[in-house]
Amino acid sequence: MNLTLKIWRQIDAKDKGKMVDYKVTEISESMSFLEMMDVLNEQLVNAGEQPVAFDHDCREGICGMCSMYINGEAHGPDRGVTTCQLHMRMFKDGDTITIEPWRAGAFPVVKDLVVDRSAFDRIQHAGGYISVNTSGNTQDANAIPISKQAADTAMDAATCIGCGACVATCKNSSAMLFVGAKVSQYALLPQGQVEAADRVRNMVAQMDLEGFGNCTNTGACEVECPKGISLDNIARMNRELMKASI
């Protein structure tokens, strides 16, 4: 395939940034999207130009780092995949592909397609954990009875990889799907009950402090989430917050 790429180039956080056009040729439909980006960067390096900076790590759909806004969709046109799992067979020969970083005030651009998602880290630091007594009297986790439904639902919430697609695709740049998932994975388990009230209050307060928008129940976040995190987690977070506020 021969493609035209319109890519956001921004030297650093202070740079205004602009879209730049590139041509790539002989792209195999079996390539992943990031492999196609590697081909472009090799081409740029050989021409003595700066390669396009983009975030990636595992390339297995687990780490959530490959945050790209492709043709107006978080992680591109496929569903239930991260950018590293997106394959070029989703595009056609001669296509023009627009590639941008996440667009959210709470995710400032670092360079090109790389954004600073440390706001998510600070939200988790505010309450996304459980405190365990490790003095020698720790209870064996296998000895704590948990219903299969609760365990399965908690695991579904825990599959959130914190990629930020929910924020990028939301018209309000809301992080409520992410925070809802992180609150839910503990709210459903007995180990998370001790700190439940403080957890949800602190995490929601930190989310607001970071400048994320509010949820208006559009549902775009669930549609474009690569792990299919359900809107039920937002409802659960709201219930937990209401209980903690009483």
Side-chain angles (χ1 to χ4, degrees), residues 5-233:
L5 307 178
K6 302 177 82 68
I7 302 179
W8 182 259
R9 301 304 307 264
Q10 185 171 337
I11 297 173
D12 54 35
K14 296 179 181 179
D15 184 36
K16 186 177 181 180
K18 62 181 180 180
M19 300 298 293
V20 179
D21 291 1
Y22 299 100
K23 301 283 188 182
V24 288
T25 60
E26 298 182 6
I27 298 298
S28 169
E29 64 178 15
S30 298
M31 284 183 177
S32 73
F33 198 87
L34 295 190
E35 286 174 325
M36 183 276 295
M37 293 294 294
D38 289 338
V39 170
L40 170 65
N41 277 344
E42 184 176 359
Q43 177 180 307
L44 292 175
V45 170
N46 289 338
E49 299 179 43
Q50 280 291 317
V52 177
F54 62 91
D55 229 342
H56 65 98
D57 189 11
C58 73
R59 298 201 178 200
E60 294 179 350
I62 298 172
C63 70
M65 294 178 69
C66 52
S67 48
M68 293 186 194
Y69 210 61
I70 304 166
N71 284 349
E73 298 180 88
H75 293 303
D78 207 352
R79 288 290 170 266
V81 299
T82 52
T83 304
C84 62
Q85 296 172 306
L86 177 69
H87 284 83
M88 297 311 297
R89 56 179 168 266
M90 296 298 297
F91 304 93
K92 298 177 182 177
D93 183 35
D95 274 358
T96 296
I97 305 174
T98 302
I99 310 168
E100 303 171 86
W102 289 164
R103 300 291 191 183
F107 288 162
V109 174
V110 176
K111 182 177 181 180
D112 295 339
L113 304 176
V114 180
V115 298
D116 180 357
R117 292 178 300 159
S118 59
F120 271 9
D121 296 332
R122 291 188 289 273
I123 291 172
Q124 294 223 71
H125 292 165
Y129 57 86
I130 58 171
S131 297
V132 178
N133 181 356
T134 58
S135 63
N137 298 318
T138 309
Q139 186 176 3
D140 187 351
N142 292 331
I144 302 174
I146 303 173
S147 71
K148 186 176 189 308
Q149 181 179 356
D152 287 348
T153 307
M155 181 60 73
D156 288 343
T159 58
C160 168
I161 57 177
C163 69
C166 52
V167 175
T169 198
C170 176
K171 61 186 179 183
N172 304 318
S173 296
S174 172
M176 290 188 73
L177 191 67
F178 166 77
V179 180
K182 297 307 174 185
V183 167
S184 289
Q185 71 184 65
Y186 295 116
L188 291 159
L189 301 177
Q191 295 96 323
Q193 300 307 310
V194 177
E195 298 164 295
D198 287 340
R199 174 180 302 109
V200 68
R201 281 197 300 261
N202 292 342
M203 292 184 78
V204 170
Q206 187 64 40
M207 173 181 68
D208 293 340
L209 185 63
E210 296 293 343
F212 292 104
N214 204 357
C215 175
T216 49
N217 298 312
T218 303
C221 54
E222 180 179 356
V223 171
E224 295 199 21
C225 172
K227 299 303 177 182
I229 302 298
S230 172
L231 291 175
D232 291 345
N233 292 294

